Amino acid sequence: MNYFYLTIFWIITIFAQAQDSNFGLPDRPLGQVSDHKKLLPTSKRDAWEEELTRLLENDKINIKLVVLPSLYGTPPDFVAKKIGEAWGDKDLQGVIVYVPRQSNTPAFWMGGTKTTDFNQDPRRKNDMLIRMQKRVSGELTETDKVQAAITELGDTLRIFKSVWQQYTIMKDAAQKDAYNRYVERRKKSRIFEIIAYALGGLCLILIPSLIILWRQRTKVCYFPATSARRRFGAPYAGGNSVAITLITRQS
Amino acid sequence: MSDPSIVATKTFSAKRFARGAMFCPSCTLRLEESVNVCPSCGFTGAQTMQMYQGTPPPMMEMMDLAGVWTDDEKNEIQKKINKFRSLFPQVHWSILSVVLPPQTDIRTFAFWVFNASPLSEGQTAETRQWTIFLLVEPDNHRIAVLPGYGVEPFLSDDQWQKAVWGMKKSWHEKSRGEAVLKFLNSARIGLIEASKRANYIISTSSSFIS
């Protein structure tokens, strides 16, 4: 029984590898349009090349249009993803795979850190792709479909970019705000620390001074009782007096 | 500063603490021992009763008969005496200002007042003996200080003289209240030092207990 399942597993694995290996990645083009087999009319190829180059130069959005004679049964989405990962721009990129006279193309793929990092929910990205797919499938001719795919993908990536920029600005502002708040908090705590240290120092000086002062105020001095040296028959004082004239008549 | 139980229960010989010699108030002869009649001038306490007729008034803390001090000055002096009392519970003060004829011997006069004055209410012979008498004679700018038997051994004449000379500047400037305050300050310093010395003597030797 175990051998049966193991055999099934190997068959599936080999099939999947065969399907993957059926399609070989085309060479990376110098421009934005890859059409090694010259399947597109020259005017269209040049026009799309120009449009995609303008998009790259002006908006820094890298969209590759890959025209292939066949996908050998490989799903176009998968091919687009493979190409995007192989050639791609790590920040923001899109790939349109177009096989003339194949109904499920043009197929899209979009990726890069700006789409993955910003949009954490893959379902939203998938919704965007489905919407684009619907828009493209609404066109009557294949040329219009490719044109629509370029426009839709360009617009979507532009939205991504602008949202990303906005997000970056907000993130920077939030960071700056957080930094400012941190600085303010630190400043306040510094002031508090300085005041606390000053008060502590003052207490260190003041408390011993007050204790000394209090001890001085409450100090009591006693003299030992002595036997009186009575003389001249005087009961209280023997006459050991000091008599001084502070100002003489002459002065 | 000192153990009150010791100083209160025992009586010590005055000679052990004596800072200076004894003198005759009349001729200022130095006396080697207690005598009833001065061997030089024949002075006795009874003679003062004939020299100064009548009976002096009871000794109060402030007796400004000559009107030397203003009311504010008297208050300040009284405050100082009150502080003195809390620092030295045994010691009492009596300050008298009086106008005397220039030929009156201020020493014998002070001696007469101190000994002939009747005890006031609440005063005992012991408290009188622990009294320091300051006599101020403003017209002739004469000052006399006479300590009772209790205080006498602890401060020398030099110390009292120094305290009185300390009054000179203020006295000259007509600040007579301040002059007395300065005197009291000097006396306070001298008495603190004297108390320390006396208690040191007690703590280092017990053989002189009489």
Side-chain angles (χ1 to χ4, degrees), chain B residues 3-43:
Chain B
D3 186 356
S5 61
I6 291 175
V7 295
T9 54
K10 293 176 181 172
T11 303
F12 298 88
S13 168
K15 279 185 183 175
R16 303 300 303 209
F17 305 104
R19 299 294 293 264
M22 297 177 287
F23 294 92
C24 169
S26 179
C27 66
T28 66
L29 175 77
R30 183 188 173 102
L31 303 170
E32 296 304 323
E33 55 184 350
S34 300
V35 291
N36 283 328
V37 180
C38 174
S40 171
C41 65
F43 174 81

Coordinates of all heavy atoms in Angstrom, one line a residue, chain B residues 3-43:
Chain B
D3 N 26.9 66.3 81.1 CA 25.9 65.5 81.7 C 25.3 66.2 82.8 O 25.9 66.4 83.9 CB 26.6 64.2 82.2 CG 25.5 63.2 82.7 OD1 24.3 63.6 82.7 OD2 25.9 62.1 83.1
P4 N 24.0 66.7 82.7 CA 23.4 67.5 83.7 C 23.3 66.7 85.1 O 23.3 67.4 86.1 CB 22.0 67.8 83.2 CG 22.0 67.3 81.8 CD 23.1 66.4 81.6
S5 N 23.2 65.4 85.0 CA 23.0 64.6 86.2 C 24.2 64.8 87.1 O 24.1 64.8 88.3 CB 22.7 63.2 85.9 OG 23.8 62.6 85.2
I6 N 25.4 64.8 86.5 CA 26.6 64.9 87.3 C 26.7 66.3 87.9 O 26.9 66.5 89.1 CB 27.9 64.6 86.4 CG1 27.9 63.1 86.0 CG2 29.2 65.0 87.1 CD1 29.0 62.7 85.1
V7 N 26.6 67.3 87.0 CA 26.8 68.7 87.5 C 25.7 69.1 88.4 O 25.9 70.0 89.2 CB 26.8 69.7 86.3 CG1 28.0 69.4 85.4 CG2 25.6 69.7 85.5
A8 N 24.6 68.4 88.4 CA 23.5 68.8 89.3 C 23.6 68.2 90.7 O 23.2 68.7 91.7 CB 22.1 68.5 88.7
T9 N 24.2 67.0 90.7 CA 24.2 66.2 92.0 C 25.5 66.4 92.8 O 25.5 66.2 94.0 CB 24.0 64.7 91.7 OG1 25.0 64.3 90.8 CG2 22.6 64.4 91.2
K10 N 26.6 66.9 92.2 CA 27.8 67.0 92.9 C 28.3 68.4 93.0 O 28.0 69.2 92.1 CB 28.9 66.2 92.2 CG 28.6 64.7 92.3 CD 29.6 63.9 91.5 CE 29.2 62.4 91.6 NZ 30.1 61.6 90.7
T11 N 28.9 68.7 94.1 CA 29.5 70.1 94.3 C 31.0 69.9 94.2 O 31.6 69.1 94.9 CB 29.1 70.6 95.6 OG1 27.6 70.6 95.7 CG2 29.5 72.1 95.8
F12 N 31.6 70.8 93.4 CA 33.0 70.7 93.2 C 33.7 71.9 93.8 O 33.1 72.9 94.0 CB 33.3 70.7 91.7 CG 32.7 69.5 90.9 CD1 31.4 69.5 90.4 CD2 33.4 68.3 90.8 CE1 30.9 68.5 89.8 CE2 32.9 67.2 90.1 CZ 31.6 67.3 89.6
S13 N 35.0 71.7 94.1 CA 35.8 72.8 94.6 C 35.9 73.9 93.5 O 36.4 73.6 92.4 CB 37.1 72.3 95.1 OG 38.0 73.4 95.3
A14 N 35.7 75.1 93.9 CA 35.8 76.2 93.0 C 37.2 76.4 92.5 O 37.4 76.9 91.4 CB 35.2 77.5 93.6
K15 N 38.2 76.1 93.4 CA 39.6 76.3 93.0 C 40.0 75.5 91.8 O 40.8 75.9 91.0 CB 40.5 75.8 94.2 CG 40.6 76.9 95.3 CD 41.5 76.4 96.4 CE 41.6 77.4 97.5 NZ 42.5 76.9 98.6
R16 N 39.3 74.3 91.6 CA 39.7 73.5 90.4 C 39.3 74.1 89.1 O 39.9 73.8 88.1 CB 39.0 72.1 90.5 CG 39.3 71.3 91.8 CD 40.8 71.1 92.0 NE 41.4 70.3 90.9 CZ 42.4 69.5 91.0 NH1 43.0 69.3 92.2 NH2 42.9 68.9 89.9
F17 N 38.4 75.0 89.1 CA 37.9 75.6 87.9 C 38.4 77.1 87.7 O 38.2 77.7 86.7 CB 36.4 75.6 87.8 CG 35.8 74.2 87.9 CD1 35.2 73.9 89.1 CD2 35.9 73.3 86.9 CE1 34.6 72.6 89.3 CE2 35.3 72.1 87.1 CZ 34.7 71.7 88.3
A18 N 38.9 77.6 88.8 CA 39.2 79.0 88.9 C 40.1 79.5 87.8 O 41.2 79.0 87.6 CB 39.8 79.4 90.2
R19 N 39.7 80.5 87.0 CA 40.5 81.0 85.9 C 41.3 82.2 86.3 O 42.2 82.6 85.6 CB 39.5 81.5 84.7 CG 38.7 80.4 84.1 CD 39.4 79.3 83.4 NE 40.1 79.8 82.2 CZ 39.7 79.7 81.0 NH1 38.5 79.2 80.8 NH2 40.3 80.1 80.0
G20 N 41.0 82.8 87.4 CA 41.8 83.9 87.9 C 41.8 84.0 89.4 O 41.1 83.3 90.1
A21 N 42.5 85.0 89.9 CA 42.6 85.2 91.3 C 41.4 86.0 91.8 O 40.6 86.5 91.1 CB 43.9 86.0 91.6
M22 N 41.3 86.1 93.2 CA 40.3 86.9 93.8 C 40.9 88.3 94.1 O 42.1 88.4 94.4 CB 39.8 86.3 95.1 CG 39.1 85.0 94.8 SD 38.6 84.1 96.4 CE 40.2 83.6 97.0
F23 N 40.0 89.3 94.1 CA 40.5 90.7 94.3 C 39.6 91.4 95.3 O 38.4 91.1 95.4 CB 40.5 91.5 93.0 CG 41.5 91.0 92.0 CD1 41.1 90.1 91.0 CD2 42.8 91.5 92.0 CE1 42.0 89.6 90.1 CE2 43.7 91.0 91.0 CZ 43.3 90.0 90.1
C24 N 40.2 92.4 95.9 CA 39.4 93.2 96.8 C 38.7 94.3 95.9 O 39.3 94.9 95.1 CB 40.3 94.0 97.8 SG 39.5 95.3 98.7
P25 N 37.4 94.4 96.1 CA 36.7 95.4 95.2 C 37.0 96.9 95.5 O 36.8 97.7 94.7 CB 35.2 95.1 95.5 CG 35.2 94.5 96.9 CD 36.5 93.7 97.0
S26 N 37.6 97.1 96.6 CA 37.9 98.4 97.0 C 39.3 98.9 96.5 O 39.5 99.9 95.8 CB 37.8 98.6 98.5 OG 38.2 99.9 98.9
C27 N 40.3 98.0 96.9 CA 41.7 98.4 96.5 C 42.3 97.5 95.4 O 43.4 97.7 95.0 CB 42.6 98.4 97.7 SG 42.8 96.7 98.4
T28 N 41.5 96.6 94.9 CA 41.9 95.6 93.9 C 43.2 94.8 94.2 O 43.9 94.4 93.4 CB 42.1 96.3 92.5 OG1 43.2 97.2 92.6 CG2 40.9 97.0 92.0
L29 N 43.4 94.6 95.5 CA 44.5 93.7 96.0 C 44.2 92.3 95.6 O 43.1 91.8 95.8 CB 44.7 93.9 97.5 CG 45.7 92.9 98.1 CD1 47.2 93.5 97.8 CD2 45.5 92.8 99.6
R30 N 45.2 91.6 95.1 CA 45.0 90.2 94.8 C 45.0 89.4 96.1 O 45.8 89.5 96.9 CB 46.2 89.7 94.0 CG 46.1 88.3 93.5 CD 47.4 87.9 92.8 NE 47.4 86.5 92.5 CZ 47.2 86.0 91.3 NH1 47.1 86.9 90.3 NH2 47.2 84.7 91.1
L31 N 43.9 88.6 96.2 CA 43.8 87.8 97.5 C 44.1 86.3 97.2 O 43.7 85.8 96.2 CB 42.3 87.9 98.0 CG 41.8 89.3 98.2 CD1 40.3 89.3 98.5 CD2 42.5 89.9 99.5
E32 N 44.9 85.8 98.1 CA 45.3 84.4 98.0 C 44.3 83.4 98.5 O 44.2 82.3 98.1 CB 46.7 84.2 98.7 CG 47.8 85.0 98.1 CD 48.1 84.7 96.6 OE1 47.9 83.5 96.2 OE2 48.4 85.7 95.9
E33 N 43.5 84.0 99.4 CA 42.4 83.1 100.0 C 41.2 84.0 100.3 O 41.3 85.2 100.3 CB 42.9 82.4 101.3 CG 43.5 83.4 102.3 CD 44.1 82.7 103.5 OE1 43.9 81.4 103.6 OE2 44.7 83.3 104.3
S34 N 40.1 83.3 100.7 CA 38.9 84.0 101.0 C 39.1 84.7 102.4 O 39.4 84.0 103.4 CB 37.7 83.1 101.1 OG 37.5 82.4 99.8
V35 N 38.8 86.0 102.4 CA 39.0 86.7 103.6 C 37.7 87.6 103.9 O 37.0 87.9 102.9 CB 40.2 87.6 103.6 CG1 41.5 86.8 103.7 CG2 40.2 88.6 102.4
N36 N 37.5 87.9 105.1 CA 36.4 88.8 105.4 C 36.8 90.2 105.5 O 35.9 91.1 105.3 CB 35.8 88.4 106.8 CG 34.9 87.1 106.6 OD1 34.3 86.9 105.6 ND2 34.8 86.3 107.6
V37 N 38.1 90.5 105.7 CA 38.6 91.8 105.7 C 39.8 91.9 104.8 O 40.7 91.0 104.9 CB 39.0 92.2 107.2 CG1 39.5 93.7 107.2 CG2 37.9 92.1 108.1
C38 N 39.8 92.9 104.0 CA 41.0 93.1 103.1 C 42.2 93.4 103.9 O 42.2 94.4 104.7 CB 40.7 94.2 102.0 SG 42.1 94.5 101.0
P39 N 43.3 92.6 103.7 CA 44.5 92.9 104.5 C 45.2 94.2 104.2 O 45.9 94.7 104.9 CB 45.4 91.7 104.2 CG 44.8 91.1 103.0 CD 43.4 91.5 102.9
S40 N 44.8 94.7 103.0 CA 45.5 96.0 102.6 C 44.7 97.2 103.0 O 45.2 98.1 103.7 CB 45.6 96.0 101.1 OG 46.1 97.2 100.6
C41 N 43.4 97.3 102.6 CA 42.6 98.5 102.9 C 41.6 98.3 104.0 O 40.9 99.2 104.4 CB 41.9 99.0 101.6 SG 40.7 97.8 101.0
G42 N 41.4 97.1 104.5 CA 40.5 96.8 105.6 C 39.0 96.8 105.1 O 38.1 97.0 105.9
F43 N 38.8 96.6 103.8 CA 37.5 96.6 103.3 C 36.7 95.4 103.8 O 37.2 94.3 103.8 CB 37.6 96.6 101.7 CG 36.2 96.5 101.1 CD1 35.4 97.6 100.9 CD2 35.8 95.3 100.6 CE1 34.1 97.5 100.3 CE2 34.5 95.1 100.0 CZ 33.7 96.2 99.9

